[in-house]
Amino acid sequence: MTYLFALTDPLASDVARSGGKGASLAQAAQHLPVPPGIVVASDAYRDFVAPLREQLAGILADRHLDHDARSGRIRALMLAQPLPTGLEQALATAIDNAGLDGPVAVRSSGTMEDLPGAAFAGQHDTFLGVRGAANIADAIRACYASLWNAHVLPYRERMGLNHLDAAMAVVVQRLVRVGASEAAGVAFSIDPVRGELDHVLINASFGLGETVVAGESPVDEFRLQRGDFADTDIAIAEKARALVADEAGGTRHIMLPAEQRSHASLDEAQRQAVARLAVAAELHFGFPQDIEWAWQDGTLYLLQSRAITRVPARWTRDESAERFPNPMTPLTWDLCEEGFHASLNHSFRLMGLPPFGDKWFVMRDYHIYGNQNAVRLYSGRTPTRMLKDVESVRAALPQIARQFAWVQELPVTWMRDLDTYLIEIGSLMREPLDGLSLPELWDYVLRINALGTRYFLPNIAISLTQRTLYAGLLQMLRLALPPEQAQTVFDQLLAVTDTKTGQVNAELWSLSRLARADAVLVQAFETLPGRDLLERLPSHPAFAQEFQAFLQRHGHRELDFDAYHPTWIEAPHTVLDQLKILCQRPDEDRASTERHQKAAQTAMEHRVLSEAPEELRYLVHEVIRLARAYTALDDLEHYQTTRLTLPLRRGLRAIGERLVQAGALADPSDVYFVPLRTLDAAMREQRLDAIPAVVAEHKRGYEAATQRVPDWVYGEQEADDVVGEVLKGLGGSPGVVEGVVFVVRGPEDFSRFPKDAILVARTTNPAWTPLFYQATGVITESGGPLSHGAVTARELGLPAVMSVRNVTRLLRDGERVRVDGRNGQVRRLDV
């Protein structure tokens, strides 16, 4: 078996083989100034530890030992164990071949270092100034032992990682011999301390950079603008000593002359070079980087590079207002949060991006906020950067085919796995709940949640891929057309997509035609609200039968993301309120209109493909096809996700009823105001005394949240985005219309929406679609060109402006406005 690989060997770029640090260095060595070295592959560690595994398992299982005792015993075994047969001889040959006859750095490189939230920074050992094959072999053995350092054991346990699954590769690299008058340190291609993506942050000191990495000594700090690398902040520390290589081996500290201690460790040219290296590493890896660097004899070297996956949070509604427009109950959020973040990092891995090590969404004052700094960190990292010009596209074709084959495969595998999910949903709905104990009912709820987490794992990738495909298609069109013409062609290419929501809307339309055929029922629709209409349906059996069949097919559709709110089948009057709107519309030949739209779409596609360069036609065709496929898939994914709500509400209703009987709740639905940890403890321990006070606190907070407009930036009072009489947002659907507005805050307002008004809402979802047939324009507080409101508005030719902050507060019913959907502006005409 081959244990040793040069850093320049492409095989060394595999994390499983070289560990996180080794793989990163191997990738960097292709184009960046990395000192020469070799990787001792993780297979060498696995063979090294194989004879010890039984003893290791016994030590780990001994409950009488604390982490220090376990670590001491395991490390002693490691340090006494010989390296695999032949490794030392092969190592001596490789050292000679790589020219590593001087002092080297021997660095641990764990295979778990790239896992989400598990950087293992500083957890494993590095040895500097090691000389000779025998000493290097001892340092490798010591690196292996450091996998079992006492502080590493609880770290892995907190991460939920199996100790025996951990493995270690080792990097043996020429030591950059930084002198006492030279500098080394770390640099960040963005500022992760302040969350400023337009600055480079550098920490530096004289001598070897281990003092900077370990935080052992004072350091100089430099902040530079990314654009021109001009200094913006400089803080010079008093640096009394430096770490340097010892000629006898290892390292030693020396005292610095008094006159040197307060001098900057980097001059202007040097810190600009370090900043440029950090940005070059970011460009090479396609993501902001945290690098270690060192100067020797006027040459700058890169010693390590890893992705920055944590930044200070800036909680805003930019990313969350569309998905979560309304306050959320604690239990619903707690149940779905883990699954959401698991899906997010799964999606990032598919897209070749590092996992995010922190929270993307959180609940604050019962509203959901997104980490806008995280959004900025990950935005712009998609493959559209390969599409700068036609030549770039041609050059990128092999990489696109290799790196993004999963985009073609995901719809197929998702549809395959959908069957299993739907079968499990059916099984859960059939399970009898009568007679189950509270712990058994809670287990039922947790099984539903686990099913949802498994099902949802690839679903964020679907949404992100849809966005990427849209951006890629528009970018390719802009290579050949002026921006406005490119946008028009783009709109035509994606104007008609067969979606599940379209199918549901077609069924609603058919129901409205059936109702219009019954004169008595039409009159009832005209005069009665949906709740009263329900009582009249038995007198109209033909309609009632079709309406009930519709609810059986689609009754899981939600009124709100929060499972606290009922679905269509539990609140059928809301569907009748939608039908009231459709019943007012005269008969239309919708099939003919759709055929003409599809014909125009097909003609535009043929024109685009005929004018594309021949070698790019397949790519253009696939991007168009996949953009449509992912539009339908994104819609279907959401439709099927909401099926979870029925068994979840069923299980929680049963728990709520038991808690009412026990005197812990006043109403079964109050169970949604109990946070997950509190409810889990109460269900497992059968101790319910804490529940009433917790419910009272959270219900009071939730109800207060429903009466206020949340801060757009959490904790900040922002000025409204208004310029004179103009409200600014994002263009969602082109066109200009003037009219009066009507603010719809929820399904309870559907029946009051006047014909030919401009719809104003926080956001919309598929259940709101019938309102669009009454509206002449659309304005929302959230969303963008891919939101439900924008897509539906484009399909119906309605001007729409999205992401107008606080618009439901700024505009009043009956106020006249002009909606400019192309330019994303709303002009108030009554001001």
Side-chain angles (χ1 to χ4, degrees):
M1 179 180 289
T2 301
Y3 290 137
L4 305 176
F5 299 86
L7 277 177
T8 52
D9 188 330
L11 293 176
S13 298
D14 179 14
V15 172
R17 176 178 289 112
S18 300
K21 186 180 300 179
S24 174
L25 279 171
Q27 292 169 37
Q30 307 300 318
H31 298 101
L32 298 170
V34 175
I38 58 175
V39 174
V40 184
S42 59
D43 283 336
Y45 170 83
R46 293 186 180 93
D47 289 348
F48 168 83
V49 82
L52 306 176
R53 286 184 71 85
E54 188 173 333
Q55 290 172 271
L56 296 182
I59 294 170
L60 291 170
D62 190 339
R63 296 186 177 182
H64 297 97
L65 300 177
D66 61 16
H67 288 126
D68 287 332
R70 287 193 184 101
S71 171
R73 293 192 183 187
I74 292 174
R75 285 176 54 81
L77 288 173
M78 294 279 174
L79 294 173
Q81 178 74 2
L83 293 178
T85 304
L87 177 57
E88 289 195 44
Q89 182 57 48
L91 186 63
T93 302
I95 288 170
D96 287 340
N97 293 340
L100 303 177
D101 50 347
V104 299
V106 181
R107 304 178 185 275
S108 302
S109 181
T111 57
M112 290 180 171
E113 287 178 3
D114 70 328
L115 297 177
F120 287 89
Q123 301 291 317
H124 305 133
D125 294 345
T126 289
F127 302 92
L128 303 179
V130 183
R131 295 172 181 267
N135 290 327
I136 292 173
D138 288 340
I140 290 171
R141 190 181 291 106
C143 285
Y144 290 166
S146 77
L147 192 64
W148 300 92
N149 284 343
H151 52 271
V152 175
L153 300 182
Y155 187 94
R156 273 200 294 266
E157 289 166 7
R158 284 197 304 273
M159 294 297 109
L161 303 172
N162 188 326
H163 291 301
L164 294 175
D165 288 341
M168 177 72 74
V170 177
V171 178
V172 180
Q173 192 176 23
R174 192 184 78 199
L175 180 69
V176 179
R177 304 181 68 181
V178 185
S181 61
E182 297 175 305
V186 298
F188 305 87
S189 65
I190 61 171
D191 184 344
V193 178
R194 300 166 182 82
E196 295 177 356
L197 276 62
D198 57 354
H199 279 77
V200 177
L201 179 66
I202 301 172
N203 288 166
S205 190
F206 291 115
L208 294 168
E210 296 306 306
T211 57
V212 180
V213 175
E216 295 175 352
S217 302
V219 298
D220 297 339
E221 183 168 282
F222 308 94
R223 294 180 69 240
L224 293 81
Q225 287 276 6
R226 277 180 60 119
D228 57 5
F229 298 106
D231 295 319
T232 56
D233 289 297
I234 297 177
I236 305 303
E238 183 77 10
K239 303 170 288 295
R241 28 179 225 168
L243 181 72
V244 297
D246 193 323
E247 291 300 323
T251 59
R252 62 189 176 93
H253 283 98
I254 62 170
M255 300 304 294
L256 294 174
E259 63 274 13
Q260 185 182 350
R261 296 178 181 183
S262 59
H263 283 184
S265 51
L266 294 173
D267 62 29
E268 183 179 17
Q270 288 175 321
R271 55 185 177 259
Q272 286 185 354
V274 171
R276 286 191 173 90
L277 179 60
V279 173
E282 175 180 322
L283 294 174
H284 177 74
F285 286 100
F287 204 81
Q289 295 290 298
D290 159 10
I291 68 169
E292 296 177 24
W293 53 269
W295 285 94
Q296 179 186 343
D297 300 330
T299 300
L300 177 61
Y301 293 95
L302 177 70
L303 306 182
Q304 185 170 335
S305 187
R306 53 184 167 257
I308 298 171
T309 59
R310 287 182 183 266
V311 289
R314 182 171 183 264
W315 300 114
T316 81
R317 296 278 290 160
D318 293 75
E319 192 73 1
S320 62
E322 181 185 356
R323 291 183 179 90
F324 315 112
N326 302 315
M328 185 85 67
T329 54
L331 183 57
T332 292
W333 180 247
D334 289 347
L335 285 169
C336 71
E337 183 185 17
E338 181 181 349
F340 174 86
H341 285 99
S343 176
L344 185 75
N345 280 325
H346 175 81
S347 304
F348 285 155
R349 282 191 290 272
L350 279 177
M351 301 180 82
L353 297 173
F356 184 57
D358 212 334
K359 297 287 189 183
W360 196 272
F361 285 133
V362 296
M363 179 186 284
R364 294 285 185 268
D365 294 340
Y366 305 94
H367 279 93
I368 306 305
Y369 283 82
N371 185 344
Q372 195 59 24
N373 280 343
V375 174
R376 292 177 61 214
L377 182 68
Y378 279 79
S379 63
R381 314 293 174 188
T382 62
T384 53
R385 65 179 182 270
M386 303 175 185
L387 311 177
K388 293 181 293 186
D389 51 51
V390 173
E391 288 308 313
S392 297
V393 178
R394 284 194 180 100
L397 284 176
Q399 182 182 354
I400 291 171
R402 182 177 62 254
Q403 191 173 343
F404 301 104
W406 63 268
V407 175
Q408 295 172 306
E409 296 164 3
L410 180 58
V412 177
T413 57
W414 188 90
M415 291 299 296
R416 178 200 66 200
D417 296 339
L418 177 63
D419 290 341
T420 302
Y421 165 73
L422 294 177
I423 290 169
E424 291 189 58
I425 288 281
S427 297
L428 287 164
M429 289 298 291
R430 289 191 299 273
E431 278 192 39
L433 301 185
D434 294 340
L436 295 184
S437 65
L438 276 175
E440 289 169 332
L441 287 172
W442 183 234
D443 177 71
Y444 174 79
V445 169
L446 293 180
R447 284 189 286 122
I448 295 166
N449 199 52
L451 170 62
T453 298
R454 293 193 302 273
Y455 159 77
F456 195 71
L457 194 64
N459 290 8
I460 290 179
I462 293 170
S463 296
L464 293 177
T465 304
Q466 183 199 8
R467 293 187 192 184
T468 301
L469 288 163
Y470 273 46
L473 177 57
L474 186 56
Q475 176 65 17
M476 286 193 290
L477 292 172
R478 284 173 175 164
L479 295 180
L481 299 169
E484 283 208 13
Q485 188 178 351
Q487 183 66 57
T488 300
V489 172
F490 174 86
D491 291 341
Q492 286 184 273
L493 287 171
L494 299 177
V496 184
T497 304
D498 294 323
T499 64
K500 193 68 177 180
T501 296
Q503 175 191 327
V504 175
N505 291 338
E507 292 184 33
L508 280 170
W509 178 257
S510 295
L511 277 173
S512 75
R513 299 308 90 186
L514 183 60
R516 280 175 64 89
D518 183 333
V520 176
L521 187 56
V522 168
Q523 185 177 8
F525 267 108
E526 290 174 354
T527 57
L528 298 176
R531 291 183 186 275
D532 294 340
L533 275 168
L534 276 174
E535 299 176 6
R536 301 286 186 94
L537 292 190
S539 302
H540 305 272
F543 177 85
Q545 182 178 351
E546 289 301 318
F547 182 64
Q548 191 59 37
F550 174 86
L551 290 177
Q552 290 300 316
R553 289 192 296 272
H554 311 300
H556 60 281
R557 297 229 77 162
E558 83 284 14
L559 302 176
D560 190 282
F561 177 88
D562 192 347
Y564 176 61
H565 300 281
T567 64
W568 280 1
I569 201 163
E570 297 171 291
H573 63 278
T574 61
V575 184
L576 291 175
D577 283 333
Q578 297 178 52
L579 285 170
K580 280 171 63 69
I581 296 170
L582 294 178
C583 280
Q584 297 173 32
R585 297 188 64 83
D587 291 339
E588 302 169 7
D589 188 356
R590 294 193 168 191
S592 176
T593 300
E594 186 173 322
R595 283 195 299 272
H596 282 99
Q597 288 177 328
K598 286 186 175 180
Q601 179 175 271
T602 302
M604 179 56 72
E605 180 178 349
H606 283 310
R607 178 181 164 192
V608 168
L609 293 176
S610 65
E611 295 181 9
E614 185 175 353
E615 67 273 27
L616 300 183
R617 282 177 190 164
Y618 175 75
L619 174 64
V620 176
H621 177 268
E622 273 299 276
V623 171
I624 294 171
R625 181 187 71 81
L626 288 167
R628 293 171 184 160
Y630 272 83
T631 298
L633 190 60
D634 186 60
D635 180 77
L636 180 61
E637 169 271 308
H638 178 82
Y639 175 87
Q640 301 292 11
T641 298
T642 57
R643 288 191 186 276
L644 282 164
T645 308
L646 292 181
L648 181 63
R649 282 181 57 82
R650 179 175 181 251
L652 289 174
R653 185 185 306 113
I655 290 174
E657 288 169 350
R658 297 289 183 84
L659 294 178
V660 169
Q661 294 168 9
L665 294 180
D667 185 276
S669 64
D670 286 347
V671 70
Y672 289 93
F673 298 106
V674 187
L676 178 62
R677 287 187 179 181
T678 304
L679 189 59
D680 185 68
M683 295 298 98
R684 295 183 189 283
E685 299 169 14
Q686 296 286 282
R687 296 184 59 180
L688 311 179
D689 50 303
I691 288 179
V694 169
V695 167
E697 175 191 352
H698 285 293
K699 192 169 185 178
R700 186 166 55 247
Y702 173 86
E703 290 174 347
T706 64
Q707 301 303 311
R708 66 172 182 269
V709 176
D711 295 340
W712 196 264
V713 178
Y714 185 71
E716 295 182 16
Q717 293 292 327
E718 282 195 314
D720 298 322
D721 201 5
V722 182
V723 179
E725 302 166 355
V726 176
L727 310 181
K728 297 188 297 181
L730 299 174
S733 177
V736 176
V737 67
E738 291 185 12
V740 298
V741 303
F742 187 86
V743 180
V744 179
R745 290 180 169 81
E748 65 277 7
D749 294 329
F750 284 5
S751 62
R752 300 191 301 111
F753 186 79
K755 190 174 185 302
D756 296 332
I758 292 172
L759 171 62
V760 177
R762 284 186 176 176
T763 188
T764 67
N765 65 36
W768 293 51
T769 303
L771 294 178
F772 286 67
Y773 292 105
Q774 290 281 89
T776 56
V778 179
I779 308 168
T780 64
E781 282 187 350
S782 62
L786 293 184
S787 65
H788 167 267
V791 171
T792 305
R794 286 197 298 272
E795 288 179 356
L796 299 178
L798 300 178
V801 178
M802 332 311 291
S803 287
V804 182
R805 292 188 188 180
N806 300 323
V807 70
T808 58
R809 177 173 59 81
L810 293 171
L811 298 181
R812 296 288 181 265
D813 290 350
E815 182 176 347
R816 288 188 60 80
V817 300
R818 180 185 298 120
V819 177
D820 182 347
R822 173 68 72 188
N823 296 307
Q825 294 183 347
V826 177
R827 181 174 293 276
R828 305 175 74 174
L829 301 178
D830 293 341
V831 175

